[in-house]
Amino acid sequence: MRIRGKSLLLSLVLLLTGFLVAYSYQQTKNEPQMVQLNDTQWEKEYFYQQKLLEIEQRNKQLRDELREKRGQIQQFESNLAESEQMVVDYVEKKKELQLLAGELPVKGPGVKVTLSDAQYVPEKDNINNYIVHESHIHLVINELLSAGAKAVSINGQRYFRDSYISCTGPVVTVDGIKHSAPFVISAIGDSHVLYSSLDLTRGVIDQLENKHVDVQLMKDGEVKMEARLTSER
């Protein structure tokens, strides 16, 4: 019974040893397959990493291109705004020149000066000394222009620096158009400055009154002047 027991124990030990040897051998045999599988996964991971890097580089390139395009658009918009401002400036300048040339009607605050012939003429005096002459009109206009008048008219007719005024008796001709008294000289500008420049002591009004010219001066909140007549050109 003891011999059988020992034999059985020895058989179990040998069986267990054999199993361990067989298992170790099987694990050793399968190890190259595990390494080969890891290599495949690494290749895939490397491949995907390369693709990811390529995508990131492409995205960076696209971002740079987008940034450049945005810069070009901003520059274009800036140039367009400058061009539009230049057009606006040109239009304003053209309008200003047209106003100066009298090609457009104009209105604004200013003053009105009315020159009339004297109502009383002594019997022995020359009547020409009591009527309005072109020199009287020139005196008023020159003072108004010196005070900053932007536009001047005589009886509604625009006056310009190249206008010609002549006098024949009681009739005054402005650029070929005849006018009779009273002569209403209108001016657009700072009404306070224009009024004050004419109303100075020993100024224009005093001089005209000393020459027997009846003068009326008033401020006007809105003086309107028509465009230059074709016949005046």
Side-chain angles (χ1 to χ4, degrees), residues 133-143 159 163-165:
H133 295 283
E134 77 275 10
S135 59
H136 304 145
I137 296 175
H138 274 302
L139 185 64
V140 174
I141 290 176
N142 290 338
E143 183 63 30
Y159 172 89
S163 293
Y164 177 74
I165 302 177

Side-chain angles (χ1 to χ4, degrees), residues 138 159-160 162-166 173-176:
H138 274 302
Y159 172 89
F160 302 93
D162 60 347
S163 293
Y164 177 74
I165 302 177
S166 62
T173 302
V174 181
D175 294 333

Side-chain angles (χ1 to χ4, degrees), residues 195-207 210:
Y195 188 98
S196 300
S197 66
L198 294 173
D199 198 33
L200 293 172
T201 303
R202 297 180 182 179
V204 172
I205 292 180
D206 286 349
Q207 295 177 40
N210 289 335

Side-chain angles (χ1 to χ4, degrees), residues 3-151:
I3 295 174
R4 287 183 179 180
K6 291 182 180 180
S7 298
L8 181 60
L9 179 61
L10 180 60
S11 297
L12 290 174
V13 171
L14 292 174
L15 180 62
L16 180 61
T17 302
F19 175 77
L20 291 175
V21 171
Y23 179 77
S24 299
Y25 174 78
Q26 185 65 30
Q27 289 295 107
T28 304
K29 183 179 180 182
N30 293 335
E31 185 175 357
Q33 294 180 358
M34 294 178 60
V35 174
Q36 184 177 3
L37 180 61
N38 289 339
D39 289 343
T40 302
Q41 291 178 345
W42 182 86
E43 290 176 358
K44 290 182 178 181
E45 183 179 355
Y46 178 78
F47 173 78
Y48 290 133
Q49 287 179 349
Q50 293 300 312
K51 287 296 182 181
L52 181 60
L53 289 175
E54 291 178 3
I55 294 174
E56 291 179 349
Q57 291 176 355
R58 180 56 180 167
N59 288 340
K60 182 179 182 302
Q61 181 181 358
L62 292 175
R63 287 195 297 269
D64 294 340
E65 292 179 0
L66 179 60
R67 188 180 301 109
E68 181 180 358
K69 296 298 182 183
R70 284 177 176 174
Q72 293 176 354
I73 292 174
Q74 291 177 352
Q75 184 63 38
F76 175 78
E77 291 176 345
S78 177
N79 294 338
L80 181 60
E82 292 178 0
S83 299
E84 290 178 350
Q85 185 60 45
M86 289 178 62
V87 172
V88 172
D89 293 341
Y90 284 139
V91 171
E92 290 297 326
K93 186 64 176 179
K94 180 177 180 292
K95 184 178 179 180
E96 181 180 350
L97 293 175
Q98 286 180 307
L99 290 174
L100 292 175
E103 296 179 1
L104 297 175
V106 61
K107 64 180 179 179
V111 297
K112 287 186 177 181
V113 186
T114 303
L115 305 182
S116 304
D117 298 336
Q119 296 182 359
Y120 172 74
V121 181
E123 294 182 1
K124 296 182 180 181
D125 287 352
N126 188 345
I127 192 173
N128 285 329
N129 295 330
Y130 294 85
I131 62 176
V132 179
H133 295 283
E134 77 275 10
S135 59
H136 304 145
I137 296 175
H138 274 302
L139 185 64
V140 174
I141 290 176
N142 290 338
E143 183 63 30
L144 289 171
L145 293 176
S146 298
K150 298 178 180 179

Side-chain angles (χ1 to χ4, degrees), residues 136-196:
H136 304 145
I137 296 175
H138 274 302
L139 185 64
V140 174
I141 290 176
N142 290 338
E143 183 63 30
L144 289 171
L145 293 176
S146 298
K150 298 178 180 179
V152 177
S153 67
I154 304 171
N155 286 358
Q157 179 184 348
R158 294 286 295 274
Y159 172 89
F160 302 93
R161 294 185 183 273
D162 60 347
S163 293
Y164 177 74
I165 302 177
S166 62
C167 178
T168 304
V171 177
V172 172
T173 302
V174 181
D175 294 333
I177 299 177
K178 296 181 180 181
H179 300 274
S180 58
F183 303 98
V184 180
I185 303 172
S186 303
I188 294 177
D190 189 320
S191 58
H192 177 72
V193 174
L194 297 177
Y195 188 98
S196 300

